[in-house]
Amino acid sequence: MNLSFKKYKLFVPEYANVDYELASGIIVENGIQRRSFGVSALAVHGLITAVNDKALGSIINNIDLIVPDGQPVRWALNGFYKLGMKDRVYGPELTLHVLRKANHRELSVYLFGSTETTLKKFQEFINKKFPKVRICGVHVDRFREATDEEDFLDVQKINQSGANIVLVGRGCPRQEFWVANHKGKVNAAMMAVGAAFDFHAGILKQAPPWMQNNGLEWLFRLSQEPRRLFKRYFITNSTFIFLFLKYRLILRRPY
């Protein structure tokens, strides 16, 4: 299988033109080699955060593989670059593809971030669905940034665990900062997949396929967590539409 891919810049992040099979193959191959490799499934919220947050925008492309998590991102990439991408690469679904391949290769996976309850249920899900995957470590999120000493010990613990893949569920943009800042430190493929932890742990429900396919997953999630997500979706969705029209109709370029 050819594991090469091309990147295409959209406003700030450089997205990879990949599908689930190629993306999961790239991740697992880097994991097998224990190569320090960063991955992010970046939807509209993460994209707009990278545009507005200079700190994130300056390091986001340190992440090796940024996949178009949201349908609007895929539509925009197809519109600007005529890529003909048939589907987005949704973080929770990509996680399943990676775990399936990891199960076949009997790889070690480390879970980093989220709450103790979510991690316990997510670990149970993996053990049941992918019994040949070895959970080699679990790290409950501190919900703050680690001190230098804590971070050193975190990295040491991950590397000593023999992890091939580190699934990072700290929420956007904290998980993107973590992955980008740990390139060259953590000897594994690091995947920022956020809500995949809660979905596969059974904490949150996923939107019906028809809503996902039509770019309406945000509406479903808003109905579940209106107080937390209203401001996020109102601002980020409006900003995305504005930027897309600006770059498409006025500047006639993607960045």
Side-chain angles (χ1 to χ4, degrees):
M1 181 180 179
N2 184 359
L3 297 180
S4 62
F5 62 95
K6 292 184 178 180
K7 297 182 180 182
Y8 297 87
K9 191 170 185 178
L10 183 61
F11 310 153
V12 173
E14 296 175 353
Y15 283 92
N17 182 12
V18 293
D19 57 16
Y20 289 113
E21 183 64 22
L22 177 56
S24 58
I26 292 166
I27 294 163
V28 168
E29 182 58 33
N30 279 280
I32 290 171
Q33 300 297 326
R34 296 200 68 200
R35 188 177 296 121
S36 191
F37 187 83
V39 182
S40 171
L42 206 64
V44 169
H45 172 237
L47 167 59
I48 298 306
T49 303
V51 172
N52 292 333
D53 186 332
K54 291 184 178 180
L56 181 62
S58 67
I59 65 167
I60 191 68
N61 291 317
N62 288 349
I63 297 176
D64 303 279
L65 183 69
I66 302 175
V67 301
D69 182 287
Q71 294 289 9
V73 175
R74 177 181 71 91
W75 294 334
L77 289 167
N78 281 345
F80 281 116
Y81 293 105
K82 311 298 181 187
L83 299 179
M85 297 177 70
K86 296 181 180 180
D87 197 5
R88 64 174 177 166
V89 182
Y90 179 45
E93 182 65 25
L94 177 61
T95 301
L96 295 180
H97 278 73
V98 169
L99 287 172
R100 197 171 294 119
K101 285 183 168 64
N103 188 65
H104 178 70
R105 303 298 292 269
E106 299 185 16
L107 302 184
S108 296
V109 173
Y110 199 104
L111 306 181
F112 190 94
S114 197
T115 66
E116 184 175 358
T117 298
T118 296
L119 286 168
K120 181 180 178 181
K121 292 183 177 181
F122 187 28
Q123 187 172 359
E124 290 172 354
F125 169 84
I126 295 173
N127 289 338
K128 181 178 179 180
K129 297 289 186 179
F130 309 100
K132 293 183 180 179
V133 168
R134 185 175 76 91
I135 305 297
C136 60
V138 175
H139 178 97
V140 177
D141 205 325
R142 300 182 180 91
F143 294 99
R144 62 169 174 79
E145 294 312 309
T147 65
D148 289 344
E149 182 179 358
E150 288 171 337
D151 186 64
F152 175 82
L153 294 175
D154 289 346
V155 170
Q156 187 177 57
K157 186 177 179 181
I158 294 170
N159 288 338
Q160 289 178 350
S161 75
N164 301 106
I165 297 165
V166 181
L167 297 180
V168 185
R170 307 190 72 207
C172 180
R174 293 173 67 237
Q175 60 191 12
E176 278 71 28
F177 275 114
W178 193 90
V179 170
N181 289 328
H182 286 80
K183 282 284 304 296
K185 297 179 181 179
V186 170
N187 301 323
M190 299 169 282
M191 294 178 61
V193 290
F197 281 50
D198 288 323
F199 287 142
H200 298 317
I203 303 296
L204 291 177
K205 293 182 179 179
Q206 296 192 60
W210 72 268
M211 295 188 81
Q212 295 188 37
N213 294 336
N214 289 283
L216 296 174
E217 184 181 17
W218 66 272
L219 186 60
F220 182 85
R221 292 197 64 191
L222 180 61
S223 71
Q224 290 191 304
E225 301 178 271
R227 290 186 178 181
R228 187 176 76 86
L229 297 178
F230 176 79
K231 184 177 180 181
R232 173 202 287 190
Y233 286 133
F234 178 77
I235 294 174
T236 58
N237 288 3
S238 300
T239 304
F240 178 82
I241 293 170
F242 170 78
L243 288 175
F244 177 78
L245 293 175
K246 173 185 174 181
Y247 281 90
R248 182 70 171 167
L249 301 179
I250 300 174
L251 300 179
R252 297 183 182 276
R253 56 182 175 82
Y255 58 91

